[in-house]
Amino acid sequence: FMGIAFLSGLLALLTPCVFPLIPMTVSFFTKGSHGDHKGFKNALFYGLFIILIFSFIGVVFSKLFGDQIGDIIAVHWIPNLLFFIIFVVFALSFLGWFEITLPSSFVNKIDARSEKQGLGGVFFMAMTLVLVTFSCTGPIVSTILIQSAGGSWLMPIFGMFGFSFALALPFTLFAAFPSLLKGLPRSGGWLNSVKVVLGFVELALAFKFLSQIDLVYGFNILNRDTFLIIWIVIFAVMGFYIIGKIRLPHDSPLEHLTVFRLLMALVTFGFTIYLTLGLIGAPLKMMSGVLPPMHTQEFNLLKEDKQANYLCEEPMYGQDFHMPHNLQGYYDLRQAISCAIEQDKPIFLDYTGKGCSNCRMFENNVWAEEKNLAIMKEDYVVLAMYGDHSIPLPKGEEFEIDGELYDDIKTANPYFMKQYLGTVAKPSYFVLAYDKEKSRKDKIVLKELQKRTNFEEGYDEKIFHEFLKNGLKEYRLMK
């Protein structure tokens, strides 16, 4: 994530708000230094202050929202709708409809303080850069912060550090080696083209948040087919823009197609064709964390294998939840235990969520491997426990602990995970077994045989296969 943030910082450098400031700022630091390295020292602190300012934004964001913001974004319509609107507004700004700027009086006050001597003046110069480039950096910074919200509280801090490090690097580098400035390309219409391309990307990302609302609340309006069509149109238009077939208000005439533009167009059109294959049922594993899941797709020429593991009884909540890859299983712990005892199999517990992008990535890139699916279908009773979808528990199954009522699977499932398995991270995978020695007729006791979360080793199908095999081995040893 920090690497992606760093690349975003490099992209921000190529926008018309930032790029022209590089030679201007560097010449200010190097002018009159007379070889005493004062200019280099000031440029070094200038870059450091840029990093500190953006990192401070990351700290504030992390402090305000912490780890909980990920679950809120995953399931609640208000932040998702808000982020959709924000991304669309930023996209339209990048496309040239209007420009987002901070109040000029505020920027002028900060700029006036930058004229002071010493490190204080250098700090306010850095602050001025952050403010005057806001119309280009603001949308990118917002994107990084919002995307970081689904992970650890450290992610916004590391994201802002990576972004600001890339942004500050050329100012320090060119101050140390002023002769390199000669190699910089001249400012021109290509800077606006970079900004417009970023606008298309922002517009595409906006629909991810709208899709999240549709998925969690079950509207089935922005299903996989519709989402793919929207993205195909956006990236096709972006491709035609890159080759100069479409011009926007602030664009300069494109006299000839450079090699770089040609390569960018080929990548964009190639990605568009890749997305098009998804309309006939291609899994598009690379995009599984962004696209709606396969079960929302209405048109699919690539039929899935209809062979499925045997179910003991019809699963509760089956109308609300779906298993990927034609797996059949349960969404209720008691049903899964009952079937596991009947079939003499261990339970594969998948703690997941409708709004969990990492869950979809793991299912499409790791579960989908034939050897893993075979074990899950034949040797396990699969149990998917959702921690982000509200369905009332059946009458008589509600319980109250320390004054808090648990009458919904959205509260009961996380309580079970935290109390008995020690985590509410999504996805988390466990192999559980019915412990005959400790269980009584009125009390079923489960034994944990294997535990794994996808954040430990990444999306590795071989490690997951070993996890499944070791779970079976442990289950056979305990019998």
Side-chain angles (χ1 to χ4, degrees):
F1 180 77
M2 191 173 172
I4 293 171
F6 179 83
L7 292 175
S8 301
L10 294 180
L11 280 175
L13 286 169
L14 301 178
T15 58
C17 313
V18 182
F19 189 81
L21 296 179
I22 296 175
M24 292 169 55
T25 308
V26 171
S27 63
F28 174 82
F29 286 129
T30 56
K31 186 172 59 179
S33 60
H34 303 298
D36 59 0
H37 301 292
K38 183 180 178 181
F40 172 67
K41 184 190 78 171
N42 285 341
L44 189 64
F45 275 102
Y46 181 72
L48 180 62
F49 287 141
I50 291 173
I51 293 172
L52 289 176
I53 291 167
F54 279 107
S55 297
F56 177 74
I57 295 171
V59 171
V60 171
F61 188 87
S62 176
K63 193 72 176 176
L64 285 174
F65 299 108
D67 287 336
Q68 300 304 313
I69 188 66
D71 286 334
I72 296 171
I73 290 175
V75 299
H76 207 286
W77 68 270
I78 292 178
N80 278 287
L81 183 60
L82 178 63
F83 292 148
F84 170 74
I85 294 170
I86 289 172
F87 272 56
V88 170
V89 169
F90 283 149
L92 295 178
S93 173
F94 270 170
L95 292 172
W97 195 355
F98 52 83
E99 190 168 338
I100 302 172
T101 56
L102 294 173
S104 57
S105 58
F106 176 65
V107 176
N108 290 337
K109 286 180 181 178
I110 298 297
D111 187 37
R113 295 192 179 189
S114 68
E115 297 177 4
K116 295 180 179 179
Q117 298 297 317
L119 292 181
V122 175
F123 172 79
F124 282 107
M125 279 191 67
M127 180 67 80
T128 303
L129 174 82
V130 173
L131 297 177
V132 299
T133 61
F134 177 79
S135 61
C136 290
T137 60
I140 302 173
V141 167
S142 300
T143 303
I144 294 170
L145 289 175
I146 292 170
Q147 295 299 326
S148 73
S152 162
W153 63 271
L154 284 169
M155 284 185 72
I157 300 172
F158 279 96
M160 286 297 92
F161 179 84
F163 173 84
S164 58
F165 185 78
L167 198 67
L169 189 62
F171 293 98
T172 305
L173 185 64
F174 288 120
F177 307 101
S179 60
L180 294 177
L181 281 171
K182 297 176 182 178
L184 277 180
R186 293 181 179 180
S187 299
W190 67 273
L191 289 175
N192 188 68
S193 297
V194 172
K195 192 176 176 183
V196 170
V197 167
L198 289 174
F200 282 116
V201 174
E202 290 272 332
L203 187 60
L205 289 175
F207 285 93
K208 173 68 175 77
F209 299 102
L210 207 58
S211 167
Q212 203 81 332
I213 300 173
D214 183 82
L215 184 63
V216 172
Y217 290 88
F219 299 137
N220 202 32
I221 298 172
L222 193 58
N223 55 22
R224 191 180 178 93
D225 309 73
T226 308
F227 189 97
L228 280 168
I229 290 170
I230 292 171
W231 269 42
I232 288 166
V233 171
I234 290 173
F235 285 101
V237 172
M238 176 176 148
F240 285 116
Y241 171 82
I242 291 172
I243 62 176
K245 296 299 181 182
I246 297 173
R247 282 181 59 189
L248 294 175
H250 301 291
D251 287 327
S252 303
L254 185 63
E255 297 178 358
H256 62 276
L257 196 63
T258 64
V259 174
F260 182 75
R261 274 185 179 267
L262 178 61
L263 292 175
M264 284 294 297
L266 290 173
V267 171
T268 305
F269 284 126
F271 181 63
T272 305
I273 294 170
Y274 172 76
L275 292 175
T276 305
L277 295 176
L279 289 176
I280 61 171
L284 305 184
K285 293 183 180 182
M286 183 177 71
M287 301 299 298
S288 51
V290 178
L291 297 174
M294 284 293 293
H295 70 79
T296 67
Q297 185 150 345
E298 296 178 0
F299 181 73
N300 189 347
L301 290 178
L302 306 178
K303 304 297 184 184
E304 285 189 321
D305 178 19
K306 293 300 178 185
Q307 183 183 359
N309 60 316
Y310 173 75
L311 286 174
C312 303
E313 59 180 323
E314 185 179 348
M316 293 172 60
Y317 316 122
Q319 69 277 13
D320 297 290
F321 302 128
H322 301 271
M323 293 275 180
H325 312 302
N326 202 39
L327 279 166
Q328 294 191 31
Y330 297 96
Y331 312 101
D332 177 76
L333 179 61
R334 294 184 183 184
Q335 273 196 311
I337 293 172
S338 174
C339 189
I341 293 173
E342 179 183 323
Q343 294 193 358
D344 190 20
K345 292 180 179 179
I347 296 172
F348 170 78
L349 168 59
D350 167 29
Y351 184 62
T352 185
K354 280 198 169 187
C356 174
S357 297
N358 284 323
C359 303
R360 304 295 87 78
M361 285 287 289
F362 209 93
E363 290 163 3
N364 289 340
N365 290 279
V366 178
W367 289 26
E369 290 298 313
E370 187 176 343
K371 58 184 180 182
N372 293 334
L373 271 180
I375 292 182
M376 294 170 74
K377 287 181 177 181
E378 297 167 11
D379 300 315
Y380 281 97
V381 171
V382 181
L383 166 64
M385 294 183 70
Y386 282 75
D388 65 358
H389 192 70
S390 181
I391 299 177
L393 290 172
K395 282 289 184 182
E397 292 192 12
E398 309 95 335
F399 57 96
E400 186 174 340
I401 297 175
D402 296 330
E404 186 170 351
L405 179 64
Y406 296 88
D407 60 351
D408 191 288
I409 67 168
K410 187 178 177 180
T411 55
N413 284 350
Y415 173 81
F416 169 81
M417 293 297 299
K418 186 69 176 177
Q419 187 72 15
Y420 297 101
L421 297 175
T423 183
V424 288
K426 293 193 272 301
S428 292
Y429 304 118
F430 295 84
V431 174
L432 305 176
Y434 164 62
D435 194 325
K436 294 182 180 179
E437 295 180 1
K438 296 182 180 179
S439 297
R440 305 191 306 267
K441 189 174 182 180
D442 59 336
K443 183 181 179 182
I444 300 294
V445 176
L446 294 174
K447 183 176 181 180
E448 180 184 327
L449 302 180
Q450 292 284 312
K451 170 186 175 181
R452 185 186 187 282
T453 63
N454 72 319
F455 297 107
E456 291 172 0
E457 299 95 1
Y459 305 110
D460 193 319
E461 67 274 8
K462 293 180 181 178
I463 293 176
F464 186 71
H465 186 66
E466 287 301 312
F467 162 83
L468 294 173
K469 285 174 59 179
N470 289 337
L472 281 176
K473 184 178 179 181
E474 291 288 323
Y475 179 74
R476 288 161 183 160
L477 288 174
M478 67 170 282
K479 290 176 61 177

